[in-house]
Amino acid sequence: ETGVTQTPRHLVMGMTNKKSLKCEQHLGHNAMYWYKQSAKKPLELMFVYNFKEQTENNSVPSRFSPECPNSSHLFLHLHTLQPEDSALYLCASSQGLMDTGELFFGEGSRLTVL
Amino acid sequence: AQSVTQPDIHITVSEGASLELRCNYSYGATPYLFWYVQSPGQGLQLLLKYFSGDTLVQGIKGFEAEFKRSQSSFNLRKPSVHWSDAAEYFCAVGPGFQKLVFGTGTRLLVSP
């Protein structure tokens, strides 16, 4: 496997469910990110982890709970979501936070909250 | 805080015609600048990036972009568009990856 892999690709959940999104990168990177992509809105940065430590929480509601057990894996735990949380959730990784490389994206997890 | 404006929501170009997608940004110093492309149901793929040096940057798939500091712009160009270029294009700017801000995107439609 190469690049950034996200599972599941599609998820439908009720407002009272608890689910998790998983991201795995096979690039040897140290930084990982969660973005939210909603229709007609810019990509929104949610969380940033660098060497497993959270370095950025962009005022994300507590119903979204990230977890980064190691530099290769990133989870987004979801509970008591709202319909407006329906979106494409993109994971990304980079070698560092300010190097001259690039941000590599996964294909996203399409979340629908009923 | 930095910001990015992509003034065109949709652009339609005939196959074989040239393309220019506009990106204007607001940032106090020389930022990192990126163009990404997203096909339906896919993640974002990097087309090109600018950090410093030569202001004309070459990317993948025949794309190029020019950084114009005086105009705070980083427009994306391609001399001859192919049907496979139909996608959504995002400009991004920031001091680094942690503070990267994306534009709202421009959807490119390619007509036969």
Side-chain angles (χ1 to χ4, degrees):
Chain A
E1 294 226 34
T2 59
V4 179
T5 304
Q6 291 186 241
T7 54
R9 292 294 310 279
H10 300 273
L11 178 63
V12 179
M13 58 187 290
M15 293 169 61
T16 57
N17 291 160
K18 289 185 180 181
K19 297 286 185 183
S20 296
L21 306 181
K22 178 184 176 182
C23 176
E24 182 174 3
Q25 58 95 1
H26 306 272
L27 300 166
H29 288 167
N30 300 311
M32 297 187 77
Y33 310 74
W34 278 118
Y35 281 88
K36 177 183 179 182
Q37 187 177 31
S38 306
K40 296 183 170 55
K41 292 177 70 175
L43 218 60
E44 299 172 58
L45 178 65
M46 300 175 72
F47 302 103
V48 180
Y49 280 81
N50 192 36
F51 291 99
K52 303 188 301 177
E53 299 298 319
Q54 188 180 112
T55 60
E56 189 81 15
N57 177 338
N58 202 20
S59 302
V60 181
S62 59
R63 57 185 184 271
F64 294 91
S65 175
E67 179 189 0
C68 189
N70 55 61
S71 292
S72 299
H73 294 86
L74 185 64
F75 295 88
L76 189 63
H77 304 300
L78 316 168
H79 61 98
T80 59
L81 294 191
Q82 305 298 311
E84 60 265 28
D85 297 322
S86 298
L88 182 68
Y89 289 85
L90 291 164
C91 175
S93 71
S94 63
Q95 183 61 48
L97 296 179
M98 290 192 67
D99 55 79
T100 56
E102 67 176 269
L103 205 54
F104 285 84
F105 283 86
E107 295 188 324
S109 294
R110 172 71 61 185
L111 173 66
T112 302
V113 181
L114 301 177
Chain B
Q2 68 267 26
S3 65
V4 180
T5 301
Q6 292 182 248
D8 304 305
I9 298 174
H10 296 99
I11 279 187
T12 300
V13 174
S14 299
E15 190 168 16
S18 63
L19 170 71
E20 182 169 32
L21 302 182
R22 295 182 291 165
C23 173
N24 293 98
Y25 68 89
S26 172
Y27 187 69
T30 300
Y32 287 17
L33 292 160
F34 303 85
W35 275 101
Y36 279 86
V37 61
Q38 185 179 34
S39 297
Q42 303 295 314
L44 278 69
Q45 180 185 22
L46 180 70
L47 286 175
L48 46 79
K49 59 188 177 184
Y50 174 81
F51 298 117
S52 63
D54 191 347
T55 56
L56 186 61
V57 181
Q58 302 297 321
I60 63 171
K61 303 184 182 186
F63 286 92
E64 66 177 27
E66 186 170 12
F67 169 55
K68 292 187 177 180
R69 183 189 306 275
S70 62
Q71 298 176 23
S72 297
S73 69
F74 189 56
N75 294 347
L76 182 71
R77 300 193 295 248
K78 186 170 184 177
S80 177
V81 168
H82 188 261
W83 64 266
S84 61
D85 293 324
E88 189 145 24
Y89 292 79
F90 295 92
C91 181
V93 59
F97 298 122
Q98 182 164 252
K99 300 290 185 183
L100 208 57
V101 172
F102 285 79
T104 50
T106 297
R107 181 164 297 280
L108 173 65
L109 304 172
V110 180
S111 62

